[in-house]
Amino acid sequence: MSNGAYAAAYEQSISDPNAFWGKAAEAIEWITPPTTVLDDSNPPFYRWFTGGQMNTCFNALDRHVRDGRGEQVAIHHDSPVTDTKTSITYAALLDQVSRFAGGLRDLGVVKGDRVLIYMPMVPEAVVAMLACARLGAIHSVVFGGFAPAELSARIEDAAPKVIVSASCGIEPTRTIAYKPMLDAAIDRSSHQPEHVVMLQRPQVEAPLGERDVLWDKVIEAEPADCVAVEATDPLYILYTSGTTGRPKGIVRDNGGHAVALRWSMENIYDVKPGETWFTASDVGWVVGHSYIVYAPLLTGATTVVYEGKPVGTPDASAFWRVISDYGAVAMFTAPTAYRAIKREDPNGEKKAAFDLSTLRNVFLAGERLDPDTYHWADNLLHCAIVDNWWQTETGWPIAANLRGLDPMPIKAGSPSVRVPGYDVQVLDEVGNQCDRGNEGAIAIKLPLPPGTLPTLWQDDERYVSGYLSVYDGYYLTGDGGLMDEDGYLFVMGRTDDVLNVAGHRLSTGSIEAALSGHPAVAECAVIGVADDFKGQIPRGLVVLKGGYDASTDGDRIVAELVKRVRDEVGAVASLRQVDIVPALPKTRSGKILRKTMREIADGKTPTIPGTIEDASVLDALADTLKHTVH
Ligand code: COA
Ligand code: AMP
């Protein structure tokens, strides 16, 4: 199947990145073309397209309208939870975005200011993102499923001048009022935004305070033009979970991002201008940023903004209905969503009522695509089922089967090969390359390609210490795995304590912070254990302070702990099981042995470090660890 195009592209991208990315950059319209493609004057801080000026919103909207796509639908908003469907053309979207940008400008937002967006899956979220891009303001979208503690940490770090929000999000079983969570988050933050723009939704209207202004008023403004930005200026900050409670502000630049996403849309995802594509994720995650919003719009494609679930809105046919309603050529979601469908409709009977003849590829990412789910989907759908591996940090795939460039055979359990631009290597503990077939740490030789993080928001030091310090000259992905004889990567999971629950990346640290805030908790640990449905689920282990008795107070404390995590981090943490234990296993220097506990819980042979302080603590926990409530 391979026509050699992949090998040639990959080879050139590594040996001559200037030629490769210089050519890709021609797909973007520049105000001033870049003077340098790869700027390696200040390693390890590599920059792309230095000297170039452009505007991301112009490339996503204005140029398409100018070139005759004004009447093409840009966004289909499909919302089974409100029982509405709306289609917005490129011309209409440009009109809304320019006017909302004018409104933000009237509120004092200028190039370089941060605007935090805390919204559900409504088209206004996309309008707000693009309006920021139009002004050169830096947006920071926070997933609507995060509760005040997570939201507040992001407000504190990004210091937004304005926050754009909506009165509520809608889950299948309940509405979630955003305003009380937002107010609580702002109260906790030392940074105070000047204004909150509120989109009122009829399901729950928000009471407005002094700094609040209505979306409907803001969007009445005179339209704003695009502001020229440097290719290296930030487009957005997207916070992601590390192992500590403090989220990492991933910075995305304008120029490299536009070039990489535009290239990926045709070469990886095989979606061309004018075609329709459906990504079922959330604008609060990187998949949503890249493949609900920016890549399809930069390409002049039509994107579906879906406010619903794979099941329960109303049933397991939801995705098939959306694909057939809009004639999508490809869809993208997390494997857990397919497991949800499989659980409810194991034989895929619900698919029969829909015409899926337009569908060429289904892309899955966000967590490992397990072979069972792959085979199930492959048997059901008459199209390629394509795993792709990446992270918030990279913004677009590191490994994939390049469906537009050179489709290759698919191997279950593997996201296929290294994407052009990424010199991926599997390294052993001392930094030597592992033999093919042997597992190690997956690292990427610097420089990373365009579109990937240049640094962390206002924290170069943490960028270097968190990603670049283990292997000199390499970016550490945090994932472990292997490369086989054919160059296919197998990504087996995180080597650190980052959790991945139903495709949502969560930090052990922030869940632990919520647990340890309870007055009865002396110390605690959170581990992610394997789960057939969500991939991983968190479990909490807590040691009580003296004076509390597990046999009398235990049930109450556990219920309060579960509620605390829901209220502080969000329901999305899915923490249901907390065990009260006599002690936690540690090394002599006091490091809690989370990995060892996780291995016991997963039924694996545990790696017990020689530096363990007291092995009997671990023995006493073994039975508790082996009983996960799924
Ligand atoms: N706002 C508020 N609450 C949210 C939310 C949001 N945006 N998203 C999820 N939640 C809540 C859910 O309602 C649920 O609450 P509950 O405990 O009261 O039932 C809780 O958080 C856990 O949510 P989730 O882990 O999503 O489980 P689920 O059982 O509701 O749904 C799936 C399971 C598989 C349907 C769902 O996880 C899914 O569609 N996953 C796709 C993942 C994805 O898009 N990943 C992004 C990267 S591609
Ligand atoms: P996020 O930053 O939320 O996209 O999460 C990134 C992490 O999710 C990665 O570091 C992996 O651990 C995991 N991940 C994402 N996609 C895949 C995939 N296709 N296969 C295996 N793991 C994946």
Side-chain angles (χ1 to χ4, degrees), residues 375-386:
H375 288 301
W376 179 80
D378 190 44
N379 286 333
L380 182 68
L381 300 165
H382 302 284
C383 71
I385 309 298
V386 189

Side-chain angles (χ1 to χ4, degrees), residues 125-138:
V126 183
V127 170
M129 291 165 79
L130 292 169
C132 291
R134 195 167 187 83
L135 297 176
I138 303 165

